[in-house]
Amino acid sequence: MRDNMISCIVSDLDGTLLDGSGEISAKTKQAIQTLKQHGISFVVATGRDLKGAGSVFKGMDQQEYILLNGSIIMHQNQKVHEYCLDETMLRQINAILTTYQIPCIYFTNKGIISNNKAVTHQHFVDALIRSGMSQAEIEQMLNSDGFGDYADEITDLDTLLQQNYIVYKCEFY
């Protein structure tokens, strides 16, 4: 048994583990593999959903995730924790967003839902520009798996609720 040794490393993706083009460098991939070979768990913590986070780790057998800002925790590719926004909370959020005409994205059990795909997509791109990303980096990110892949566009909350979506996270800019 190891005393006072590191047993787990947790890392964010965007702006931390990933390079400017949204990928893991070969050196970082090797470091993650070395950690695992030494029995040290590597956990990804991100605001992304599993599709968006998992696409980064193709071929790497990544099985530990904290997703959607803590709403879902995966251990050995099994969901061990889930927290969702209840109807009361969603209605409160929706009232504010409607009052100020703010478009949003819902991260759900059936994928990412936008109440206005064109506008939320542009808001996301604008946020990336403000963060300092180049146009080439933005294009590469948007062309990778998991970005801009809306499962549906649902313009009102009642329809979302009637279709039995479980909402984990609401994002707006």
Side-chain angles (χ1 to χ4, degrees):
M1 182 168 180
R2 302 178 321 206
D3 291 325
N4 299 322
M5 297 293 290
I6 296 171
S7 60
C8 177
I9 292 180
V10 180
S11 178
D12 184 25
L13 292 180
D14 301 301
T16 305
L17 190 70
L18 304 181
D19 61 21
S21 61
E23 296 180 6
I24 299 176
S25 70
K27 185 176 179 179
T28 302
K29 284 181 183 180
Q30 182 58 51
I32 292 169
Q33 292 307 111
T34 301
L35 290 171
K36 291 179 179 183
Q37 289 167 358
H38 286 86
I40 298 171
S41 297
F42 181 76
V43 181
V44 174
T46 182
R48 296 182 185 201
D49 63 2
L50 184 58
K51 181 179 179 184
S55 67
V56 172
F57 293 94
K58 285 184 181 169
M60 290 184 61
D61 192 34
Q62 179 60 34
Q63 299 183 17
E64 314 297 326
Y65 295 94
I66 301 170
L67 302 166
L68 299 169
N69 303 103
S71 291
I72 296 176
I73 298 175
M74 306 285 291
H75 174 63
Q76 297 179 347
N77 283 331
Q78 299 295 313
K79 190 184 302 180
V80 296
H81 170 79
E82 176 180 74
Y83 176 82
C84 58
L85 301 173
D86 64 27
E87 183 176 341
T88 301
M89 191 175 297
L90 285 169
R91 289 197 183 282
Q92 290 171 345
I93 293 167
N94 188 64
I96 294 167
L97 297 176
T98 301
T99 298
Y100 295 99
Q101 299 179 346
I102 301 170
C104 68
I105 302 168
Y106 298 101
F107 290 79
T108 77
N109 60 320
K110 299 177 186 179
I112 301 171
I113 308 300
S114 174
N115 66 357
N116 187 325
K117 286 183 185 180
V119 173
T120 54
H121 179 79
Q122 188 57 53
H123 283 232
F124 179 66
V125 170
D126 292 345
L128 295 176
I129 291 168
R130 284 192 305 274
S131 76
M133 288 184 80
S134 71
Q135 192 63 39
E137 290 170 333
I138 291 170
E139 291 293 326
Q140 185 168 1
M141 178 182 268
L142 293 175
N143 290 327
S144 67
D145 290 341
F147 280 99
D149 297 338
Y150 295 111
D152 205 350
E153 180 176 85
I154 297 177
T155 57
D156 67 282
L157 182 61
D158 286 327
T159 301
L160 185 83
L161 295 171
Q162 289 166 1
Q163 293 182 14
N164 297 317
Y165 282 92
I166 297 171
V167 179
Y168 300 110
K169 174 181 163 180
C170 178
E171 186 175 285
F172 47 90
Y173 301 92

Tab-separated table of all heavy atoms in Angstrom, residues 11 18 22 30 35-36 43 45 51 60 73 75 91 105 108 110 137 161 170:
chain	number	residue	atom	x	y	z
A	11	SER	N	-8.892	16.601	-13.974
A	11	SER	CA	-8.555	17.728	-14.831
A	11	SER	C	-9.749	18.185	-15.643
A	11	SER	O	-10.523	17.368	-16.140
A	11	SER	CB	-7.433	17.343	-15.790
A	11	SER	OG	-7.133	18.429	-16.666
A	18	LEU	N	-6.649	20.478	-22.839
A	18	LEU	CA	-6.628	20.511	-24.299
A	18	LEU	C	-5.775	21.657	-24.827
A	18	LEU	O	-5.691	22.715	-24.206
A	18	LEU	CB	-8.053	20.645	-24.838
A	18	LEU	CG	-9.039	19.577	-24.379
A	18	LEU	CD1	-10.397	19.805	-25.010
A	18	LEU	CD2	-8.526	18.179	-24.675
A	22	GLY	N	-8.242	22.198	-29.363
A	22	GLY	CA	-9.235	21.335	-28.713
A	22	GLY	C	-8.860	19.870	-28.679
A	22	GLY	O	-9.720	19.009	-28.548
A	30	GLN	N	0.360	10.403	-23.399
A	30	GLN	CA	1.326	9.485	-22.791
A	30	GLN	C	1.347	9.641	-21.274
A	30	GLN	O	1.417	8.650	-20.547
A	30	GLN	CB	2.724	9.704	-23.372
A	30	GLN	CG	3.760	8.741	-22.817
A	30	GLN	CD	3.391	7.286	-23.044
A	30	GLN	OE1	3.079	6.868	-24.147
A	30	GLN	NE2	3.409	6.486	-21.980
A	35	LEU	N	0.077	7.480	-15.898
A	35	LEU	CA	-0.650	7.544	-14.620
A	35	LEU	C	-1.437	6.262	-14.395
A	35	LEU	O	-1.366	5.646	-13.320
A	35	LEU	CB	-1.626	8.732	-14.612
A	35	LEU	CG	-1.041	10.128	-14.553
A	35	LEU	CD1	-2.144	11.160	-14.768
A	35	LEU	CD2	-0.355	10.359	-13.224
A	36	LYS	N	-2.192	5.875	-15.404
A	36	LYS	CA	-3.038	4.679	-15.289
A	36	LYS	C	-2.198	3.422	-15.057
A	36	LYS	O	-2.585	2.555	-14.268
A	36	LYS	CB	-3.915	4.538	-16.531
A	36	LYS	CG	-4.992	5.614	-16.614
A	36	LYS	CD	-5.823	5.456	-17.871
A	36	LYS	CE	-6.914	6.490	-17.959
A	36	LYS	NZ	-7.768	6.315	-19.141
A	43	VAL	N	-9.442	11.397	-13.881
A	43	VAL	CA	-10.848	11.777	-13.986
A	43	VAL	C	-10.954	13.087	-14.758
A	43	VAL	O	-10.238	14.040	-14.476
A	43	VAL	CB	-11.485	11.950	-12.583
A	43	VAL	CG1	-12.954	12.318	-12.702
A	43	VAL	CG2	-11.301	10.687	-11.743
A	45	ALA	N	-13.125	16.323	-15.535
A	45	ALA	CA	-14.189	17.160	-14.980
A	45	ALA	C	-14.470	18.267	-15.986
A	45	ALA	O	-13.576	19.040	-16.328
A	45	ALA	CB	-13.763	17.751	-13.638
A	51	LYS	N	-20.874	12.783	-24.735
A	51	LYS	CA	-20.523	12.767	-26.162
A	51	LYS	C	-19.400	13.767	-26.434
A	51	LYS	O	-18.421	13.442	-27.107
A	51	LYS	CB	-21.744	13.092	-27.014
A	51	LYS	CG	-21.464	13.063	-28.500
A	51	LYS	CD	-22.700	13.361	-29.315
A	51	LYS	CE	-22.391	13.342	-30.788
A	51	LYS	NZ	-23.551	13.714	-31.608
A	60	MET	N	-8.527	5.894	-26.095
A	60	MET	CA	-7.730	5.993	-24.867
A	60	MET	C	-8.347	5.252	-23.679
A	60	MET	O	-7.788	5.261	-22.594
A	60	MET	CB	-7.512	7.459	-24.481
A	60	MET	CG	-6.597	8.198	-25.413
A	60	MET	SD	-6.279	9.885	-24.869
A	60	MET	CE	-5.508	9.637	-23.287
A	73	ILE	N	-21.872	11.776	-12.853
A	73	ILE	CA	-20.559	11.220	-12.547
A	73	ILE	C	-20.529	9.793	-13.074
A	73	ILE	O	-21.422	8.986	-12.792
A	73	ILE	CB	-20.251	11.254	-11.038
A	73	ILE	CG1	-20.229	12.709	-10.554
A	73	ILE	CG2	-18.922	10.555	-10.752
A	73	ILE	CD1	-20.052	12.868	-9.065
A	75	HIS	N	-18.243	6.287	-13.432
A	75	HIS	CA	-17.124	5.493	-12.908
A	75	HIS	C	-17.119	4.177	-13.680
A	75	HIS	O	-18.126	3.480	-13.722
A	75	HIS	CB	-17.297	5.251	-11.408
A	75	HIS	CG	-16.284	4.333	-10.812
A	75	HIS	ND1	-14.946	4.644	-10.786
A	75	HIS	CD2	-16.406	3.112	-10.245
A	75	HIS	CE1	-14.285	3.648	-10.201
A	75	HIS	NE2	-15.146	2.710	-9.875
A	91	ARG	N	-38.843	26.161	-14.508
A	91	ARG	CA	-39.824	27.228	-14.748
A	91	ARG	C	-39.295	28.580	-14.262
A	91	ARG	O	-39.524	29.609	-14.900
A	91	ARG	CB	-41.161	26.886	-14.110
A	91	ARG	CG	-41.863	25.753	-14.840
A	91	ARG	CD	-43.338	25.650	-14.510
A	91	ARG	NE	-43.939	24.523	-15.185
A	91	ARG	CZ	-44.293	24.500	-16.465
A	91	ARG	NH1	-44.095	25.559	-17.224
A	91	ARG	NH2	-44.843	23.427	-17.012
A	105	ILE	N	-29.608	26.764	-24.066
A	105	ILE	CA	-29.359	25.386	-24.458
A	105	ILE	C	-29.628	24.529	-23.225
A	105	ILE	O	-29.162	24.846	-22.130
A	105	ILE	CB	-27.893	25.197	-24.899
A	105	ILE	CG1	-27.552	26.127	-26.055
A	105	ILE	CG2	-27.632	23.747	-25.269
A	105	ILE	CD1	-26.064	26.213	-26.343
A	108	THR	N	-29.664	17.515	-21.888
A	108	THR	CA	-30.680	16.570	-21.436
A	108	THR	C	-30.239	15.123	-21.610
A	108	THR	O	-29.198	14.849	-22.211
A	108	THR	CB	-32.000	16.767	-22.217
A	108	THR	OG1	-31.861	16.188	-23.526
A	108	THR	CG2	-32.386	18.236	-22.344
A	110	LYS	N	-31.542	13.219	-23.626
A	110	LYS	CA	-31.728	12.877	-25.038
A	110	LYS	C	-30.862	13.756	-25.949
A	110	LYS	O	-31.116	13.860	-27.140
A	110	LYS	CB	-33.196	13.027	-25.415
A	110	LYS	CG	-34.122	12.122	-24.620
A	110	LYS	CD	-35.567	12.370	-24.977
A	110	LYS	CE	-36.507	11.587	-24.080
A	110	LYS	NZ	-37.922	11.838	-24.409
A	137	GLU	N	-9.104	27.949	-34.861
A	137	GLU	CA	-9.363	27.085	-33.706
A	137	GLU	C	-10.863	26.869	-33.506
A	137	GLU	O	-11.305	25.763	-33.195
A	137	GLU	CB	-8.757	27.700	-32.442
A	137	GLU	CG	-7.247	27.690	-32.416
A	137	GLU	CD	-6.663	28.518	-31.285
A	137	GLU	OE1	-7.318	29.482	-30.833
A	137	GLU	OE2	-5.546	28.179	-30.857
A	161	LEU	N	-40.974	19.631	-21.311
A	161	LEU	CA	-41.422	18.842	-20.171
A	161	LEU	C	-42.392	17.736	-20.591
A	161	LEU	O	-42.334	16.622	-20.068
A	161	LEU	CB	-42.062	19.752	-19.125
A	161	LEU	CG	-41.108	20.760	-18.470
A	161	LEU	CD1	-41.878	21.752	-17.620
A	161	LEU	CD2	-40.034	20.053	-17.660
A	170	CYS	N	-28.586	23.982	-17.847
A	170	CYS	CA	-29.113	25.012	-18.741
A	170	CYS	C	-27.980	26.008	-18.965
A	170	CYS	O	-27.369	26.478	-17.999
A	170	CYS	CB	-30.320	25.676	-18.083
A	170	CYS	SG	-31.030	27.000	-19.047
